[in-house]
Amino acid sequence: MNGKIRIRHIYKATELKRFGKLEGKYHHMGETHSGGDTMRIVFEDENGKWLALMVWGSACYHLRPRDEYIGWNMALRRARQKLVLNNRRFTILAKPGTHPNLASQCLGLALRELPRMWLRKFHYRPLLAETFCDINHSPGTCYKAANWIPLGVTKGFSRVNRQECDFYIPNDDPKTIWVAPFARDAVELLNSPNLPDECLEGAHCDADGVLPVSPAQAESLYEAMRGVRDWRDDNKSIPAASMLSIVVMAMMSGANSVKAVWRFGERLTMAQRRQLCLRHDKDKFGKPLKAYFKVPSYVTFYKFLKKLDLADFGEKLSAWLQSQEGTLPRRLALDGKFVKEVMGVVSMVDCETGAPVAVASSRRKEGTVGECELPKGQKLIRDQDLTNALVCADALHGQQDTARAILDANGDYLLQIKENQKTILRNAENVAKAREPNGVKKK
């Protein structure tokens, strides 16, 4: 409630039919037809009389002023776009003068109540609102009165999608852009690596066509992967370098299973697929489809990676990473990334720049011998000069042999300890208790 005005989400067929008729009659753009997550709400007086209508739905696909205001890059925009809601229609039904400041009151009430209503229906809480105001019909005074933020004027183009190809056409109808946060820390949260639990359901969008490297680096990665030994004797229609390039970039993007690698490949654009030398798909008559490049199937990835020469792959990948030092978006620590049950990479990366320093191949996460992360990580340490370096690692590497290897390489270490490492944890706690907060031993 807000004084004598209340907000309500409608869903009954009879009310939706009435809503559409009123919107078509009183809004200059007519009735809206929305896809995806959409909510139609009404504002009523104490007697249940409808005073205004609103339609909320998916945010604008690409809006430079909004993205700059948030501080989004392309990957974040694609992944978290559902957390921004677009006020697609706002229709005032009350006669002018009967409810002073009705428009700004409705906008303010929507900003306060909509996140709760949206969470209840769609199971995620939005963080930011956006809308467009037609310059020829309204200067947007009500948005200003409700503390919305103006971001400028659109360029007057409309997005058109035809057969998975986006393009834009001029509409000669520029509009003012307004945004409003649903919470004070909305912009901070939209950029945060750790979203609140109630926002997570709306942050699972796939970043189609977004690579963790530049096009030139993707090309050089492909050339480096061409040197990896291909174990297949026949059926080499898909180059090994193409598959390995996809695997490396998928793992850099967080993929940890063969399915995730395959999905990453499926999201590549046709231009990216062509650059990685993927083959043309064929139609039902066996003729090549010149405009479509096929990504290997899940089974193809799985079978290929299962028999891959990991030592050869690790050597070629390390050489490529070192050639790209200082140019890759990387992070530092000693850690393993695995495509579950088939292969993995143990990396040492620079914390400040995020740049990989060296990598080693592995087969399993757990274990203390063979091709497991722990011994592979220790070997990786012994092969480095760690002078003036601090090496961080998770509890899996919280071992005496790891710490000794770092010290032997002239480095320092900061290793995580968990409760199941009782002896190490007890010794660490005793050391901590024996020291003052400033690090000086007690007398």
Side-chain angles (χ1 to χ4, degrees):
M1 290 290 294
N2 182 23
K4 297 181 179 181
I5 302 174
R6 68 178 183 181
I7 184 174
R8 181 168 62 88
H9 162 228
I10 66 168
Y11 56 90
K12 295 181 179 179
T14 54
E15 289 190 318
L16 290 173
K17 185 177 180 180
R18 177 189 174 191
F19 187 102
K21 287 183 177 181
L22 290 172
E23 190 178 48
K25 179 178 180 180
Y26 291 103
H27 198 284
H28 70 276
M29 294 180 66
E31 183 180 357
T32 182
H33 300 278
S34 303
D37 295 347
T38 303
M39 182 177 289
R40 288 170 170 81
I41 59 179
V42 298
F43 298 87
E44 304 172 319
D45 63 13
E46 67 275 16
N47 298 317
K49 181 180 179 180
W50 289 12
L51 303 176
L53 315 173
M54 274 188 185
V55 179
W56 291 83
S58 302
C60 182
Y61 178 73
H62 177 63
L63 194 60
R64 180 177 295 177
R66 176 204 64 199
D67 297 342
E68 291 178 349
Y69 167 77
I70 298 173
W72 269 349
N73 56 32
M74 185 182 296
L76 272 177
R77 172 177 61 81
R78 290 177 183 268
R80 298 182 174 183
Q81 198 161 326
K82 290 179 70 174
L83 299 178
V84 179
L85 302 186
N86 187 285
N87 179 205
R88 295 180 175 176
R89 292 285 193 278
F90 182 19
T91 309
I92 297 294
L93 303 178
K95 294 182 180 180
T98 57
H99 289 79
N101 305 316
L102 174 63
S104 58
Q105 289 182 35
C106 290
L107 287 169
L109 184 57
L111 289 180
R112 290 192 295 273
E113 299 296 328
L114 190 59
R116 174 184 56 80
M117 298 165 64
W118 201 271
L119 177 62
R120 181 184 301 172
K121 182 176 181 181
F122 298 112
H123 311 296
Y124 64 92
R125 178 170 67 88
L127 295 172
L128 187 73
E130 70 176 22
T131 194
F132 301 99
C133 188
D134 194 326
I135 299 174
N136 297 321
H137 287 81
S138 171
T141 305
C142 61
Y143 292 99
K144 184 177 181 179
N147 295 320
W148 284 55
I149 303 168
L151 297 183
V153 181
T154 65
K155 294 183 178 180
F157 283 83
S158 297
R159 174 174 172 251
V160 179
N161 181 278
R162 291 291 184 271
Q163 297 179 347
E164 300 183 354
C165 179
D166 295 323
F167 59 96
Y168 295 81
I169 59 175
N171 57 27
D172 298 322
D173 189 21
K175 297 179 175 64
T176 53
I177 306 167
W178 297 81
V179 297
F182 286 119
R184 291 183 179 180
D185 57 348
V187 173
E188 179 181 350
L189 289 176
L190 285 168
N191 288 283
S192 172
N194 300 309
L195 285 170
D197 291 343
E198 62 268 27
C199 297
L200 293 178
E201 188 67 25
H204 292 163
C205 303
D206 290 330
D208 294 345
V210 178
L211 301 181
V213 297
S214 69
Q217 289 170 330
E219 184 176 352
S220 69
L221 174 62
Y222 174 83
E223 291 298 323
M225 293 299 98
R226 288 182 63 185
V228 178
R229 193 176 303 110
D230 189 347
W231 60 266
R232 299 172 298 173
D233 296 327
D234 53 9
N235 191 22
K236 297 183 180 181
S237 60
I238 301 174
S242 301
M243 287 191 284
L244 290 175
S245 298
I246 293 174
V247 169
V248 172
M249 291 189 292
M251 293 177 70
M252 292 175 69
S253 300
N256 63 353
S257 67
V258 178
K259 182 178 180 181
V261 169
W262 169 71
R263 290 185 62 190
F264 176 88
E266 285 289 314
R267 297 196 298 270
L268 296 177
T269 66
M270 291 301 125
Q272 291 166 344
R273 298 180 188 192
R274 182 174 61 250
Q275 185 184 25
L276 295 177
C277 298
L278 292 170
R279 302 298 188 234
H280 294 289
D281 199 4
K282 296 180 179 179
D283 61 20
K284 60 181 179 180
F285 302 107
K287 295 182 179 180
L289 296 172
K290 295 183 178 180
Y292 191 88
F293 298 86
K294 185 178 181 180
V295 170
S297 66
Y298 167 88
V299 174
T300 301
F301 273 118
Y302 183 88
K303 289 182 176 180
F304 177 78
L305 295 175
K306 195 70 174 177
K307 296 184 179 181
L308 179 66
D309 185 337
L310 291 184
D312 187 34
F313 169 65
E315 179 183 340
K316 301 300 190 300
L317 180 56
S318 285
W320 179 77
L321 289 171
Q322 290 172 10
S323 72
Q324 303 296 317
E325 185 175 358
T327 64
L328 293 175
R330 307 168 294 176
R331 43 182 182 155
L332 177 57
L334 181 66
D335 195 16
K337 299 297 181 184
F338 288 81
V339 176
K340 293 178 181 177
E341 299 181 358
V342 291
M343 64 167 292
V345 173
V346 183
S347 305
M348 181 176 290
V349 293
D350 188 323
C351 280
E352 294 185 359
T353 65
V357 174
V359 298
S361 57
S362 180
R363 283 290 183 191
R364 295 180 298 278
K365 180 79 173 176
E366 303 295 336
T368 58
V369 297
E371 296 186 333
C372 301
E373 179 180 335
L374 179 60
K376 287 287 186 175
Q378 291 171 352
K379 183 180 184 303
L380 197 65
I381 291 169
R382 288 192 288 269
D383 293 339
Q384 308 301 313
D385 179 5
L386 300 178
T387 303
N388 297 323
L390 174 67
V391 178
C392 305
D394 59 23
L396 185 143
H397 296 277
Q399 307 284 339
Q400 288 186 0
D401 290 343
T402 301
R404 186 173 295 109
I406 295 172
L407 294 176
D408 290 342
N410 300 318
D412 292 317
Y413 59 84
L414 179 62
L415 305 178
Q416 183 180 357
I417 303 172
K418 289 187 175 180
E419 291 183 356
N420 60 354
Q421 298 169 297
K422 296 181 179 180
T423 301
I424 300 177
L425 180 60
R426 183 173 61 252
N427 292 339
E429 289 176 341
N430 290 336
V431 171
K433 291 177 181 179
R435 294 177 178 272
E436 295 287 349
N438 62 2
V440 180
K441 289 184 177 180
K442 290 182 178 180
K443 294 183 180 180

